[in-house]
Amino acid sequence: MEQRKIEIYEYLKILIITVTIIVSIFIVSTAFVNRNKESEIINVTGLGSKDFESDLIVWSGSFYRLNTDIKKAYEELYSDQKAIIEFLKEKDVAQNEYVLSSVTINKEYESVTDKENNQRQVFKGYRLQQKVTIESTDINKIESVSREITDLINKGVEFYSNEPEYYYTKLSELKMELIESATNNARERAEAIAEKSGSKLGKLKYANMGVVQILGRNSNEDYSWDGIYNTNTRLKTATITMKLQFGIK
């Protein structure tokens, strides 16, 4: 009887060891298969793009007077300044929309050659210059003002106008929209690739965001590695890329 118990005990011991080995092999093999699947990845690049219109315009210009008498130069420049302020007032440009810079003063010389062909510098006068900068959300109004500076020139003001610059004040919100759009675009591409290969998309393993590129709409401007911000045109297109890496399951 005692011998029979020993045989049963040994049999159960061998059975337990066998089952344990089989289960261990199954777990290891399953983990190996899953690990191989996780090692398979899909790399995709998504693009986010949006057309938008600038909501801020900045326009500037400068005027100057040249006179050998610095006091008279100041008087003439002040007269021009009053004419410019009156011009802006007539065009409904509010005082809080423009800023006049401080006056810069430089001595100006010219080279002259005498009869002996010797050159020397002759004092022409004091050059006093001032800049006016307009910043407004009323783009149509300021564009119109920038095209009507001949009114100032006709009044004797030597005014030099710069090209208007166009900006967008909601860039942070725009960037978030672009990131979401580019991410969704990349995921859709990855899902299509996985489906075609008979797999399912796994977890996101890696993400890398590109720089925002803001170009003139329908322009032939080139992208820049550190991003570009077009300020020359009112209508713009913003783009961003997202590089994503997914596992496969």
Side-chain angles (χ1 to χ4, degrees):
M1 187 67 179
E2 187 67 27
Q3 182 64 31
R4 181 62 176 170
K5 287 182 179 181
I6 293 173
E7 289 177 355
I8 293 173
Y9 173 77
E10 289 296 330
Y11 174 77
L12 290 173
K13 183 178 178 182
I14 293 171
L15 181 61
I16 291 170
I17 292 173
T18 303
V19 171
T20 301
I21 292 172
I22 293 172
V23 170
S24 299
I25 292 172
F26 176 77
I27 292 172
V28 171
S29 62
T30 302
F32 181 76
V33 170
N34 289 336
R35 188 188 67 183
N36 284 343
K37 286 187 176 180
E38 284 296 318
S39 67
E40 295 177 357
I41 57 173
I42 294 177
N43 291 304
V44 288
T45 299
L47 176 66
S49 178
K50 184 175 182 180
D51 292 335
F52 67 99
E53 184 174 353
S54 303
D55 60 4
L56 181 71
I57 185 172
V58 177
W59 174 63
S60 64
S62 59
F63 54 102
Y64 80 96
R65 283 291 178 170
L66 181 66
N67 200 305
T68 54
D69 186 331
I70 192 170
K71 184 178 179 181
K72 288 184 178 179
Y74 262 113
E75 291 173 352
E76 293 168 347
L77 191 74
Y78 181 66
S79 177
D80 290 343
Q81 183 188 112
K82 288 197 299 182
I84 290 169
I85 292 174
E86 184 63 28
F87 167 77
L88 295 177
K89 185 178 179 180
E90 291 173 358
K91 304 301 180 183
D92 295 323
V93 180
Q95 288 186 358
N96 63 352
E97 291 182 307
Y98 68 86
V99 175
L100 286 162
S101 70
S102 57
V103 178
T104 60
I105 307 171
N106 291 291
K107 289 182 177 181
E108 198 163 294
Y109 297 86
E110 66 177 341
S111 297
V112 296
T113 304
D114 59 23
K115 294 179 181 179
E116 284 75 31
N117 206 32
N118 295 316
Q119 284 191 341
R120 60 191 179 91
Q121 298 293 311
V122 177
F123 178 62
K124 285 184 63 178
Y126 295 95
R127 182 186 178 97
L128 276 62
Q129 185 168 325
Q130 198 167 16
K131 182 179 180 181
V132 59
T133 302
I134 301 171
E135 184 176 305
S136 175
T137 56
D138 192 338
I139 296 179
N140 291 331
K141 178 179 70 177
I142 304 306
E143 282 183 334
S144 177
V145 172
S146 70
R147 291 191 292 264
E148 295 172 358
I149 59 167
T150 50
D151 293 354
L152 282 173
I153 296 172
N154 291 335
K155 292 178 181 179
V157 179
E158 292 195 49
F159 191 85
Y160 297 88
S161 174
N162 298 316
E163 290 293 325
E165 296 179 339
Y166 300 90
Y167 297 90
Y168 190 61
T169 60
K170 301 174 184 177
L171 281 179
S172 57
E173 293 92 333
L174 175 63
K175 188 174 181 179
M176 293 303 296
E177 288 182 40
L178 291 172
I179 292 172
E180 182 179 357
S181 176
T183 302
N184 290 337
N185 181 251
R187 174 175 283 277
E188 288 172 2
R189 294 184 181 189
E191 287 174 344
I193 294 171
E195 185 179 349
K196 291 292 184 182
S197 63
S199 303
K200 290 185 178 180
L201 205 61
K203 294 180 179 180
L204 177 66
K205 291 178 171 291
Y206 172 79
N208 181 43
M209 181 178 68
V211 295
V212 177
Q213 309 279 353
I214 299 178
L215 312 175
R217 193 178 302 177
N218 300 320
S219 71
N220 58 357
E221 296 173 86
D222 293 326
Y223 285 1
S224 171
W225 68 271
D226 57 347
I228 187 171
Y229 191 163
N230 173 290
T231 60
N232 300 323
T233 58
R234 181 171 176 173
L235 301 178
K236 308 180 192 294
T237 299
T239 63
I240 197 171
T241 58
M242 286 291 295
K243 294 182 178 180
L244 304 182
Q245 184 182 92
F246 293 93
I248 298 175
K249 60 182 180 178

